Amino acid sequence: MGSSNHMKRLAMPRSWPLPRKTSIWVTKAAPGAHTLELCMPVVVVIRDILGYAKSTREVRHILHNNLVSIDGRICKDSRRGVGFMDVLTLGEENYRCIVDQKGILRYRQISKKEAETKVCRINGKTTIKGGKTQLHLHDGRNILTDDAGEYNTGDSLVLALPSQEIKEHIRFSDGIKCYLTGGAHVGEFAEVSEYIVKRSSMPNEVQFANFGTVMSNVFAIGSQKLPSTEVVE
């Protein structure tokens, strides 16, 4: 049997900013680039979060009229996930998905210029046939490069949308400004003091001025501008 298109609200991720007891079911994001905890289906974002529609039928009408794009590409799948750092465009309005200081997904409005780029973290890299290096980014993208030693896991790339051209390479190093995507300091910004590589099965750690966390919670952004992560009641 295939997976269901819906799930019970009581079982939805804590990162989703939706009430749990108003109804039984909620649309489940289709399998894709982001984990379920770090994305929401576009139908829920447009209808329940941003309030551009009152029903799923209205959302589908908006989608079928090519009024919605994700990272600069037209989206027609109502269950397509809009995840961390993605740019959602509805007509002339642009929104970026971030995680606030309570670990909740937020869709903050951004300018047209900001919507032209996206920061992606390199989660790994492999050598493929022909000697090229394939970079695996946090949003499921794969970028090919000829220089195997230029990019490292933990670095970030600023990509032009929708061309995916690399506009800037942000090296993960001491002193670089980072965005915390998990842990007790989620949604905060801090500069790296030390990177601790564990020669064991334990995860690598990153030390900041007053605290430390595992590497998977750290997203290097350098001088890139991001929307506010403060909690707005």
Side-chain angles (χ1 to χ4, degrees):
M1 293 179 63
S3 61
S4 172
N5 292 344
H6 294 78
M7 61 181 170
K8 289 190 174 182
R9 281 182 177 253
L10 290 175
M12 70 183 180
R14 293 177 180 272
S15 59
W16 290 24
L18 298 174
R20 293 181 181 272
K21 296 183 179 181
T22 54
S23 59
I24 298 176
W25 303 100
V26 65
T27 303
K28 185 178 181 180
H34 299 278
T35 63
L36 193 60
E37 290 74 19
L38 287 179
C39 76
M40 296 180 68
V42 67
V43 61
V44 174
V45 176
I46 295 175
R47 183 191 62 206
D48 302 325
I49 305 300
L50 301 179
Y52 280 91
K54 295 182 179 179
S55 66
T56 300
R57 182 176 181 178
E58 289 183 8
V59 173
R60 287 174 178 162
H61 180 76
I62 293 171
L63 294 173
H64 291 165
N65 281 278
N66 297 334
L67 297 175
V68 178
S69 63
I70 298 175
D71 290 343
R73 296 186 175 179
I74 295 296
C75 171
K76 290 193 175 183
D77 181 2
S78 63
R79 292 182 58 226
R80 163 75 186 274
V82 186
F84 180 63
M85 285 293 184
D86 286 353
V87 174
L88 173 66
T89 301
L90 292 107
E92 299 297 323
E93 305 296 330
N94 300 288
Y95 300 86
R96 189 180 302 282
C97 178
I98 58 146
V99 181
D100 72 9
Q101 294 179 5
K102 285 190 175 181
I104 305 298
L105 292 174
R106 300 296 181 187
Y107 296 84
R108 306 287 200 216
Q109 191 164 3
I110 57 175
S111 67
K112 184 177 180 180
K113 183 175 179 60
E114 290 177 279
E116 293 174 352
T117 58
K118 175 183 180 179
V119 185
C120 295
R121 181 178 62 195
I122 301 175
N123 283 348
K125 61 180 184 178
T126 54
T127 301
I128 62 174
K129 186 177 180 180
K132 287 184 175 292
T133 297
Q134 184 171 263
L135 306 177
H136 311 300
L137 306 186
H138 85 279
D139 63 351
R141 297 171 196 265
N142 292 306
I143 303 291
L144 292 179
T145 178
D146 294 318
D147 193 343
E150 177 68 14
Y151 304 97
N152 296 308
T153 299
D155 291 355
S156 294
L157 301 177
V158 180
L159 301 182
L161 299 177
S163 67
Q164 300 194 99
E165 176 189 355
I166 299 176
K167 305 291 289 185
E168 182 183 348
H169 176 202
I170 303 172
R171 297 180 185 276
F172 179 78
S173 59
D174 291 354
I176 194 71
K177 184 179 179 182
C178 295
Y179 175 29
L180 283 302
T181 61
H185 295 269
V186 62
E188 296 182 11
F189 299 91
E191 295 182 357
V192 175
S193 296
E194 183 183 6
Y195 179 42
I196 304 172
V197 178
K198 299 294 185 70
R199 303 299 180 183
S200 67
S201 60
M202 298 294 289
N204 295 338
E205 296 181 3
V206 181
Q207 289 292 326
F208 298 95
N210 301 312
F211 65 94
T213 188
V214 294
M215 181 62 186
S216 59
N217 291 338
V218 180
F219 198 107
I221 61 169
S223 60
Q224 291 298 304
K225 179 183 178 182
L226 290 182
S228 172
T229 61
E230 294 183 0
V231 177
V232 179
E233 299 296 345

